[in-house]
Amino acid sequence: MVNSSTARPEWDVVRELIRGRGPLTVLTGAGASAESGVPTFRGAGGLWRERDVMSLATPEAFREDPRLVWEFYQYRRREVATCAPNDGHLALARHQSRHADTWIITQNVDGLNRAAGSTERLIEMHGSLWWTRCTSCGLRVYNDDLGFDTPPRCSACCGMVRPDIVWFGEGFHEGVIESIVALLARGGTMLIVGTSGAVYPAAGFAAAARAQGAVTVEINLEASFIADDMDYVLRAPSGEVLPYLLTEP
Ligand code: BJW
Ligand code: ZN
């Protein structure tokens, strides 16, 4: 068990960096929700009914068997519905409420940043488990009904409804990439939290920000694929590191 009150010179350096360096941009991945009980993708939790969850997160899988993919997402929604934001999510939300230039870019679809209070300056770049989209007319609808196991029909055109999630090979919501590109050009500090750096374009954000003057910090239990793009590396759980870094004296 890591004790965050123990002296940790590197944590203190990064804490001072955040205090003194202007804008803060935070990129999070599945590890940022791990302490809330949400399974990560490339860890032991990456299987559902013995299938690699990554093979279900594709447009091809949905075309082939919409019911199976919907069931998988309904399972995920039920699982996340039992989870609460952890100290890392809460520290980020608190920091944002005091610092208008702090932005969160999350790859997570669980909605836990929003639940922690980060309702603004949050980009859920891979979509959300709590929204659906019509495959015919594109209508997006908030939907937290955990009750049904087949894809619902669109209220506007009767088309088949899918999770409003960015699957492999798919593009992003309008304006998302443009907003991120602008954030990465701001300089300041960038925290890269709980992501393995295996999925693009998110895996390229740290290098892009660093090339434009940002100082990059990885917060991860293990070395990610993009650890070489980091100026600092803090190997500890985000639920402990983030409150330490972001607590005001
Ligand atoms: C802890 C911790 C604790 C644990 N504390 N840490 C360039 C090169 C090669 C390929 C491509 C490329 N560009 C695009 C591609 C193709 C593809 C891609 O990247 N493929 C790769 C497999 C190579 N990308 C795409 O298709 C993307 N679309 C696209 O590029 O469109 C074109 C386009 C580009 C640019 C502009 C416009 C258009 C879409 C990618 C969509 C990914 N979607 C998923 C599924 C979501 C659905 C769902 O949730 O069901 O998103 S994939 C999955 O991976 C999910 C995640 O958000 C994403 C990232 O995973 P993440 O978060 O890193 O999780 P893990 O499990 O891998 O890692 C957890 C980490 O936490 C570990 O490191 C642990 O150590 C750590 N950890 N506990 C701190 N307590
Ligand atoms: Zn429709």
Side-chain angles (χ1 to χ4, degrees), residues 67-106:
R67 196 188 161 117
L68 177 76
V69 173
W70 183 266
E71 258 187 272
F72 164 61
Y73 278 95
Q74 200 56 306
Y75 164 81
R76 297 264 306 280
R77 285 150 55 104
R78 287 180 187 132
E79 188 175 56
V80 166
T82 68
C83 298
N86 64 53
D87 290 346
H89 297 113
L90 296 170
L92 285 173
R94 205 164 42 238
H95 191 79
Q96 274 190 314
S97 70
R98 296 181 181 144
H99 300 272
D101 54 1
T102 299
W103 277 76
I104 303 170
I105 305 165
T106 186

Coordinates of all heavy atoms in Angstrom, one line a residue, residues 67-106:
R67 N -27.3 -8.0 -31.6 CA -27.9 -8.4 -30.3 C -26.8 -8.7 -29.3 O -26.8 -8.3 -28.2 CB -28.8 -9.6 -30.5 CG -29.7 -9.8 -29.4 CD -30.5 -11.1 -29.5 NE -30.9 -11.4 -28.2 CZ -32.2 -11.5 -27.8 NH1 -33.2 -11.3 -28.7 NH2 -32.5 -11.8 -26.6
L68 N -25.8 -9.4 -29.8 CA -24.7 -9.8 -29.0 C -23.9 -8.6 -28.5 O -23.6 -8.5 -27.3 CB -23.7 -10.8 -29.7 CG -22.5 -11.2 -28.9 CD1 -22.8 -12.2 -27.9 CD2 -21.4 -11.6 -29.8
V69 N -23.7 -7.7 -29.4 CA -22.9 -6.5 -29.0 C -23.7 -5.6 -28.1 O -23.2 -5.0 -27.1 CB -22.4 -5.7 -30.3 CG1 -21.8 -4.4 -29.9 CG2 -21.5 -6.5 -31.1
W70 N -25.0 -5.5 -28.3 CA -25.9 -4.7 -27.4 C -25.9 -5.3 -26.0 O -25.8 -4.6 -25.0 CB -27.3 -4.6 -28.0 CG -28.1 -3.8 -27.1 CD1 -28.9 -4.2 -26.0 CD2 -28.2 -2.3 -27.1 NE1 -29.4 -3.1 -25.4 CE2 -29.0 -1.9 -26.0 CE3 -27.6 -1.3 -27.9 CZ2 -29.3 -0.6 -25.7 CZ3 -27.9 0.0 -27.6 CH2 -28.7 0.3 -26.5
E71 N -26.0 -6.7 -26.0 CA -25.9 -7.4 -24.7 C -24.7 -7.1 -23.9 O -24.7 -6.9 -22.7 CB -26.0 -8.9 -24.9 CG -27.4 -9.5 -24.7 CD -27.3 -11.0 -24.8 OE1 -27.4 -11.5 -25.9 OE2 -27.0 -11.6 -23.8
F72 N -23.5 -7.1 -24.7 CA -22.2 -6.8 -24.1 C -22.2 -5.4 -23.5 O -21.8 -5.2 -22.4 CB -21.1 -6.9 -25.2 CG -19.8 -6.3 -24.8 CD1 -19.1 -6.8 -23.7 CD2 -19.3 -5.3 -25.6 CE1 -17.9 -6.2 -23.3 CE2 -18.1 -4.7 -25.2 CZ -17.4 -5.2 -24.1
Y73 N -22.8 -4.4 -24.2 CA -22.8 -3.0 -23.7 C -23.8 -2.9 -22.6 O -23.5 -2.1 -21.6 CB -23.0 -2.0 -24.8 CG -21.7 -1.8 -25.5 CD1 -21.4 -2.5 -26.7 CD2 -20.8 -0.9 -25.0 CE1 -20.1 -2.3 -27.3 CE2 -19.6 -0.7 -25.5 CZ -19.2 -1.4 -26.7 OH -18.0 -1.2 -27.2
Q74 N -24.9 -3.6 -22.6 CA -25.8 -3.6 -21.5 C -25.2 -4.1 -20.3 O -25.3 -3.6 -19.2 CB -27.1 -4.3 -21.9 CG -28.3 -4.0 -21.1 CD -28.7 -2.5 -21.2 OE1 -28.0 -1.7 -20.8 NE2 -30.0 -2.3 -21.5
Y75 N -24.4 -5.2 -20.4 CA -23.6 -5.7 -19.3 C -22.6 -4.7 -18.8 O -22.5 -4.5 -17.5 CB -22.8 -7.0 -19.8 CG -21.7 -7.4 -18.9 CD1 -22.0 -8.2 -17.8 CD2 -20.4 -7.1 -19.2 CE1 -21.0 -8.6 -16.9 CE2 -19.4 -7.5 -18.3 CZ -19.7 -8.2 -17.2 OH -18.6 -8.6 -16.4
R76 N -21.9 -4.0 -19.7 CA -21.0 -3.0 -19.2 C -21.7 -1.8 -18.5 O -21.2 -1.3 -17.5 CB -20.3 -2.4 -20.5 CG -19.4 -3.4 -21.2 CD -18.0 -3.3 -20.8 NE -17.4 -2.0 -20.9 CZ -17.0 -1.4 -22.0 NH1 -17.1 -2.0 -23.2 NH2 -16.5 -0.2 -22.0
R77 N -22.9 -1.4 -19.0 CA -23.6 -0.3 -18.4 C -24.1 -0.8 -17.0 O -24.0 0.0 -16.0 CB -24.8 0.0 -19.2 CG -24.5 0.8 -20.5 CD -25.4 0.6 -21.6 NE -26.8 0.8 -21.3 CZ -27.5 1.9 -21.7 NH1 -27.0 2.8 -22.4 NH2 -28.8 2.0 -21.4
R78 N -24.5 -2.0 -16.8 CA -24.9 -2.5 -15.5 C -23.8 -2.5 -14.5 O -23.9 -2.2 -13.4 CB -25.6 -3.9 -15.6 CG -26.9 -3.8 -16.3 CD -27.5 -5.3 -16.4 NE -28.8 -5.2 -17.1 CZ -29.1 -6.0 -18.1 NH1 -28.2 -7.0 -18.5 NH2 -30.2 -5.9 -18.8
E79 N -22.6 -2.9 -15.1 CA -21.4 -3.0 -14.2 C -21.0 -1.6 -13.8 O -20.8 -1.3 -12.6 CB -20.3 -3.6 -15.1 CG -19.0 -3.9 -14.5 CD -18.1 -4.6 -15.5 OE1 -17.8 -4.1 -16.5 OE2 -17.7 -5.8 -15.2
V80 N -21.0 -0.6 -14.7 CA -20.5 0.7 -14.4 C -21.6 1.4 -13.4 O -21.2 2.2 -12.6 CB -20.3 1.5 -15.7 CG1 -20.2 3.0 -15.4 CG2 -19.1 1.0 -16.4
A81 N -22.8 1.0 -13.6 CA -23.9 1.6 -12.8 C -23.6 1.4 -11.3 O -24.1 2.1 -10.4 CB -25.3 1.1 -13.2
T82 N -22.9 0.3 -11.0 CA -22.6 0.0 -9.6 C -21.3 0.7 -9.1 O -20.9 0.6 -7.9 CB -22.4 -1.5 -9.4 OG1 -21.2 -1.9 -10.0 CG2 -23.6 -2.3 -9.9
C83 N -20.6 1.4 -10.0 CA -19.3 2.1 -9.6 C -19.5 3.5 -9.4 O -20.3 4.2 -10.0 CB -18.3 1.9 -10.8 SG -18.0 0.2 -11.2
A84 N -18.6 4.0 -8.5 CA -18.7 5.5 -8.1 C -17.3 6.1 -8.5 O -16.3 5.4 -8.5 CB -18.9 5.6 -6.6
P85 N -17.3 7.4 -8.7 CA -16.0 8.1 -9.0 C -15.0 7.8 -7.8 O -15.4 7.7 -6.7 CB -16.4 9.5 -9.0 CG -17.8 9.6 -9.3 CD -18.4 8.3 -8.7
N86 N -13.7 7.7 -8.1 CA -12.7 7.5 -7.1 C -12.0 8.8 -6.8 O -12.3 9.9 -7.3 CB -11.7 6.4 -7.5 CG -10.9 6.7 -8.7 OD1 -10.3 7.8 -8.8 ND2 -10.9 5.9 -9.7
D87 N -11.1 8.7 -5.8 CA -10.4 10.0 -5.4 C -9.7 10.7 -6.5 O -9.5 11.9 -6.5 CB -9.4 9.7 -4.3 CG -10.1 9.2 -3.0 OD1 -11.3 9.5 -2.9 OD2 -9.4 8.7 -2.1
G88 N -9.3 10.0 -7.5 CA -8.6 10.6 -8.7 C -9.6 11.5 -9.5 O -9.4 12.7 -9.8
H89 N -10.8 10.9 -9.8 CA -11.9 11.7 -10.5 C -12.2 12.9 -9.7 O -12.4 14.0 -10.2 CB -13.1 10.8 -10.7 CG -13.0 9.6 -11.5 ND1 -13.1 8.3 -11.0 CD2 -12.8 9.4 -12.8 CE1 -13.0 7.4 -11.9 NE2 -12.8 8.1 -13.1
L90 N -12.4 12.7 -8.4 CA -12.8 13.8 -7.5 C -11.8 14.9 -7.4 O -12.1 16.1 -7.5 CB -13.2 13.3 -6.1 CG -14.4 12.3 -6.1 CD1 -14.5 11.6 -4.7 CD2 -15.7 13.0 -6.5
A91 N -10.5 14.5 -7.3 CA -9.5 15.5 -7.3 C -9.4 16.4 -8.6 O -9.2 17.6 -8.6 CB -8.1 14.9 -7.0
L92 N -9.6 15.7 -9.7 CA -9.6 16.4 -11.0 C -10.8 17.4 -11.1 O -10.6 18.5 -11.5 CB -9.8 15.4 -12.2 CG -8.5 14.6 -12.5 CD1 -8.8 13.5 -13.5 CD2 -7.4 15.5 -13.0
A93 N -12.0 17.0 -10.6 CA -13.1 17.8 -10.7 C -12.9 19.1 -9.8 O -13.3 20.2 -10.1 CB -14.4 17.1 -10.3
R94 N -12.4 18.8 -8.6 CA -12.1 19.9 -7.6 C -11.1 20.9 -8.2 O -11.3 22.1 -8.2 CB -11.6 19.3 -6.3 CG -11.9 20.2 -5.1 CD -11.7 19.4 -3.8 NE -10.5 18.5 -3.8 CZ -10.6 17.2 -3.6 NH1 -11.7 16.6 -3.4 NH2 -9.5 16.5 -3.6
H95 N -10.1 20.4 -8.8 CA -9.1 21.2 -9.4 C -9.7 22.1 -10.6 O -9.4 23.3 -10.7 CB -7.9 20.4 -10.0 CG -6.7 21.1 -10.4 ND1 -5.8 21.6 -9.4 CD2 -6.3 21.6 -11.6 CE1 -4.9 22.3 -10.1 NE2 -5.1 22.3 -11.4
Q96 N -10.5 21.4 -11.4 CA -11.2 22.2 -12.5 C -12.0 23.3 -11.9 O -12.1 24.3 -12.6 CB -12.1 21.2 -13.3 CG -11.4 20.5 -14.3 CD -12.3 19.8 -15.2 OE1 -13.3 19.1 -14.8 NE2 -12.1 19.9 -16.5
S97 N -12.7 23.1 -10.8 CA -13.6 24.1 -10.3 C -12.8 25.3 -9.8 O -13.3 26.4 -9.7 CB -14.4 23.6 -9.1 OG -13.6 23.4 -8.0
R98 N -11.5 25.2 -9.6 CA -10.6 26.3 -9.2 C -9.8 26.9 -10.3 O -9.2 27.9 -10.1 CB -9.7 25.8 -8.0 CG -10.5 25.4 -6.8 CD -9.5 25.0 -5.7 NE -10.1 24.5 -4.5 CZ -9.7 23.5 -3.8 NH1 -8.6 22.9 -4.1 NH2 -10.4 23.2 -2.7
H99 N -9.6 26.1 -11.3 CA -8.7 26.5 -12.4 C -9.4 26.3 -13.7 O -9.6 25.2 -14.2 CB -7.4 25.6 -12.4 CG -6.7 25.7 -11.1 ND1 -5.7 26.7 -10.9 CD2 -6.8 25.0 -9.9 CE1 -5.3 26.6 -9.6 NE2 -5.9 25.6 -9.0
A100 N -9.7 27.5 -14.3 CA -10.5 27.4 -15.6 C -9.7 26.9 -16.8 O -10.3 26.5 -17.8 CB -11.0 28.9 -15.9
D101 N -8.4 26.8 -16.6 CA -7.6 26.3 -17.8 C -7.3 24.8 -17.7 O -6.3 24.4 -18.3 CB -6.4 27.2 -18.0 CG -5.5 27.3 -16.8 OD1 -5.9 26.7 -15.7 OD2 -4.5 28.0 -16.8
T102 N -8.0 24.1 -16.8 CA -7.8 22.7 -16.7 C -8.8 21.9 -17.5 O -10.0 22.1 -17.3 CB -7.9 22.2 -15.2 OG1 -6.8 22.9 -14.5 CG2 -7.7 20.7 -15.1
W103 N -8.4 21.1 -18.5 CA -9.2 20.3 -19.3 C -8.9 18.8 -19.2 O -7.8 18.5 -19.0 CB -9.0 20.7 -20.8 CG -9.7 21.9 -21.3 CD1 -9.4 23.2 -21.0 CD2 -10.9 22.0 -22.1 NE1 -10.3 24.1 -21.6 CE2 -11.3 23.3 -22.2 CE3 -11.7 21.0 -22.7 CZ2 -12.4 23.7 -23.0 CZ3 -12.8 21.4 -23.4 CH2 -13.1 22.7 -23.6
I104 N -10.0 18.1 -19.3 CA -9.8 16.6 -19.2 C -10.3 16.0 -20.6 O -11.4 16.3 -21.1 CB -10.7 16.0 -18.1 CG1 -10.4 16.6 -16.8 CG2 -10.6 14.5 -18.1 CD1 -11.4 16.2 -15.7
I105 N -9.4 15.2 -21.1 CA -9.7 14.4 -22.3 C -9.8 13.0 -21.8 O -8.7 12.5 -21.4 CB -8.6 14.5 -23.4 CG1 -8.3 16.0 -23.8 CG2 -9.0 13.7 -24.6 CD1 -7.0 16.2 -24.6
T106 N -10.9 12.4 -21.9 CA -10.9 11.0 -21.4 C -11.3 10.0 -22.6 O -12.1 10.3 -23.4 CB -11.9 10.8 -20.3 OG1 -11.8 9.4 -19.8 CG2 -13.4 11.0 -20.7

